[in-house]
Amino acid sequence: MTAPNPAHLQNLVVNGFDTHYTRYFLLHIAQDGAARQFVRKLLDGGWVVNAENSRNQALTLLQHQRCPVGIGFTFAGLQAMGLPTRYLRLFQSRAIAFAEGAAPRASHRLADTGPSAVAQWEPAFQPSAAHLFLTLHADEPAVLDQCSAALQAMAGQAFAPEGWAQPFDGAHLGHNKKSRREHFGFLDGITNPLIDGLHHHTRGHADLKVTQKLQPPGEFLLGYGNSDGYNRWLIASESAEVRQFFANGSFSAFRKMAQDTVAFDAFVHSQASSALPAETVRAKLLGRWHDGQVITPEQSTPPTGPTPRTRAGLNDFDFSADPQGLGCPFGAHIRRMNPRADPVVPVRKRPLIRRGIPYTTPNERGLLGLFFCASLEDQFEHLLAEWGNKNPFGVPNPSTAKDPIVGNHEDGGGVFDIPSVTGPNPQLRGFTPFVTTKGTLYSFFPSLPTLGILADEISTK
Ligand code: HEM
């Protein structure tokens, strides 16, 4: 297949929306015909912004009291939409995690046990509860309210009313789009993969030392080769019509995670010492300093010089200059989740697109994590099950602790080793659960042409 056509791709997947607010609806289809009409109206009304001149599309929508949306379907949702068995079977054989859904896999593939176990998940995430995952994006909460009402009216009786009544609202903390932090206080939204044929890595950044590799589209979009040259969606035995249905779609994992900021701060301060100030402990757990710069082997105290001003500048590294983890420990969140050119890890890098946004309610703070990839089992689940919840890479490495941010610390065990040349390695102990899973939902985000096919009732031939 040639390079992806941006006009066929959902903008949420490949570029995202840079808005202050998002609202997610998890909807249960009550009438499949009405649900199809709803998808048709979304398309005809230009609500589903594609990746070509997306900014202009979003502006036009806002001028018409609308906001950009993204739309995905769970496996149960595709069944409810009447997708023929032949297509469903292809999902079942090639995208097992998506077809099964997150709940039955949570304990062994997502490390969701104890307080994070499925039995504790919110009702909207229970198996078969959600069919359609609708995302709304705006800079003003009033616009979200207005669009939610318009969409609900447009849907008529298509969905069970509870879904509309219980939105998942995300809001960035602070209004500076260039320095967004999550609830633990870390600068977030720095890194996202760049896709070959859709993004340019060098434009405007001629001064960078380590140019980020462009990822093959097949890491995120169905129908292309991934970094191993493997294309699971070639499906040579099927007709072009069937192949087109899957092409340019992407899988998403929506994961609501509550953050215990009090426990996290208490842990950081309990581990701090005169040799290892609290700010350094925090930075070692993530792998980046407060201002977003990666920790380099030469830095034992926070950097005092100017901070790179762009996201690209903050990503101008690949760990090849830190083979012993003397700057960024092997166990740190960013080194586990994206080992880049780390010499000790396997070639397969398993990139993930991230579109997370914090949420805040009177009783709870956390992150509405939204991840996109071409294979939930090979990317999203592998990161959590293997890289996040087992021993980190790196030799020699006495660390036994899980990912300090997202690991399941229910057992409290584990040692987080901080490699050092000046004396014995500091070792952090006594982790407690900082992050609790409130639910995870797997969806398929179809291309725009495929949304059209779903809207018009797919032929069973
Ligand atoms: C409450 C939960 C989480 C918090 C607070 C959190 C926080 C962060 C922060 C502050 C960064 C660095 C900023 C950046 O590079 O943009 C980051 C990076 C990242 N996180 Fe998380 N994260 C969470 C959950 C997860 C989960 C569940 C996954 C994967 C399944 C994940 C995967 C990643 C990846 C891939 C990166 C980029 C690393 C890089 O490219 O350098 N995170 N996270």
Side-chain angles (χ1 to χ4, degrees):
M1 202 184 256
T2 50
N5 177 350
H8 290 176
L9 308 173
Q10 292 203 42
N11 189 58
L12 175 64
V13 179
V14 293
N15 297 314
F17 297 103
D18 206 12
T19 56
H20 284 304
Y21 301 94
T22 63
R23 177 168 290 172
Y24 299 143
F25 288 107
L26 270 51
L27 301 168
H28 185 92
I29 296 175
Q31 294 179 10
D32 61 330
R36 276 196 287 277
Q37 277 173 27
F38 176 69
V39 176
R40 170 52 57 207
K41 285 180 191 164
L42 285 180
L43 288 172
D44 292 350
W47 292 82
V48 190
V49 166
N50 66 55
E52 191 171 56
N53 295 325
S54 52
R55 209 170 277 269
N56 289 351
Q57 293 174 58
L59 282 175
T60 310
L61 280 170
L62 289 168
Q63 283 160 6
H64 293 85
Q65 283 76 50
R66 294 175 188 168
C67 67
V69 307
I71 176 169
F73 298 84
T74 63
F75 185 75
L78 290 174
Q79 282 175 310
M81 290 286 284
L83 187 68
T85 314
R86 177 178 176 187
Y87 293 79
L88 295 170
R89 287 222 178 100
L90 286 165
F91 278 119
Q92 283 168 320
S93 60
R94 278 152 213 267
I96 299 162
F98 166 69
E100 289 184 353
R105 305 168 65 85
S107 64
H108 59 290
R109 294 299 290 158
L110 305 175
D112 286 331
T113 54
S116 291
V118 175
Q120 312 296 328
W121 287 7
E122 294 178 5
F125 295 99
Q126 294 301 331
S128 301
H131 287 158
L132 200 133
F133 179 45
L134 189 64
T135 76
L136 281 62
H137 309 266
D139 277 328
E140 306 288 337
V143 175
L144 279 190
D145 288 342
Q146 191 184 322
C147 291
S148 306
L151 290 167
Q152 188 174 355
M154 211 165 94
Q157 306 301 310
F159 308 106
E162 300 83 58
W164 293 113
Q166 291 155 6
F168 293 82
D169 277 343
H172 282 292
L173 312 176
H175 273 253
N176 184 348
K177 289 192 177 185
K178 292 210 166 13
S179 61
R180 285 171 164 168
R181 293 185 185 273
E182 48 68 57
H183 280 296
F184 290 148
F186 294 117
L187 199 63
D188 204 358
I190 304 170
T191 326
N192 252 321
L194 300 174
I195 307 173
D196 200 6
L198 293 169
H199 300 134
H200 305 273
H201 55 168
T202 46
R203 188 188 287 163
H205 303 299
D207 54 329
L208 297 186
K209 293 185 285 294
V210 182
T211 310
Q212 295 302 317
K213 204 170 141 264
L214 289 170
Q215 299 289 341
E219 292 287 356
F220 312 104
L221 301 170
L222 311 195
Y224 305 88
N226 68 9
S227 58
D228 287 338
Y230 179 55
N231 179 356
R232 190 179 296 198
W233 298 91
L234 263 179
I235 346 182
S237 56
E238 295 290 343
S239 65
E241 188 190 345
V242 172
R243 285 202 297 272
Q244 279 310 314
F245 178 88
F246 299 96
N248 292 310
S250 185
F251 292 109
S252 80
F254 169 42
R255 187 163 169 90
K256 181 176 179 185
M257 296 167 282
Q259 293 174 256
D260 188 340
T261 53
V262 175
F264 187 73
D265 286 344
F267 176 77
V268 168
H269 285 99
S270 72
Q271 306 295 317
S273 62
S274 51
L276 198 68
E279 191 175 346
T280 307
V281 174
R282 290 172 60 82
K284 291 282 180 182
L285 295 175
L286 179 74
R288 290 184 181 275
W289 294 106
H290 187 73
D291 66 0
Q293 292 189 64
V294 70
I295 318 173
T296 61
E298 305 75 43
Q299 293 168 321
S300 52
T301 53
T304 48
T307 302
R309 298 184 42 166
T310 59
R311 289 177 192 171
L314 288 171
N315 269 315
D316 194 11
F317 67 93
D318 65 4
F319 301 124
S320 55
D322 189 9
Q324 293 165 290
L326 290 166
C328 179
F330 296 110
H333 180 61
I334 66 159
R335 194 156 184 167
R336 286 176 183 258
M337 295 290 106
N338 182 6
R340 302 180 185 227
D342 199 326
V344 298
V345 299
V347 194
R348 180 97 185 91
K349 296 296 188 231
R350 306 175 192 272
L352 206 55
I353 292 174
R354 296 181 303 134
R355 306 258 173 257
I357 187 164
Y359 71 91
T360 312
T361 65
N363 309 321
E364 203 176 280
R365 290 183 272 187
L367 193 72
L368 298 176
L370 182 58
F371 306 90
F372 288 99
C373 54
S375 168
L376 289 163
E377 44 278 73
D378 183 37
Q379 291 162 274
F380 177 72
E381 289 187 347
H382 194 96
L383 259 56
L384 275 174
E386 306 299 327
W387 293 2
N389 279 284
K390 290 192 178 155
N391 290 351
F393 302 111
V395 277
N397 182 4
S399 278
T400 53
K402 297 165 184 166
D403 184 310
I405 313 284
V406 291
N408 184 332
H409 305 302
E410 205 194 335
D411 54 9
V415 173
F416 185 92
D417 183 78
I418 302 181
S420 157
V421 276
T422 53
N425 291 358
Q427 297 198 322
L428 313 185
R429 288 186 170 79
F431 287 86
T432 58
F434 306 132
V435 171
T436 307
T437 310
K438 295 288 168 180
T440 302
L441 184 82
Y442 291 162
S443 307
F444 174 61
F445 273 64
S447 70
L448 273 87
T450 300
L451 281 173
I453 295 171
L454 282 166
D456 294 341
E457 195 164 3
I458 193 160
S459 116
T460 47
K461 277 184 257 145

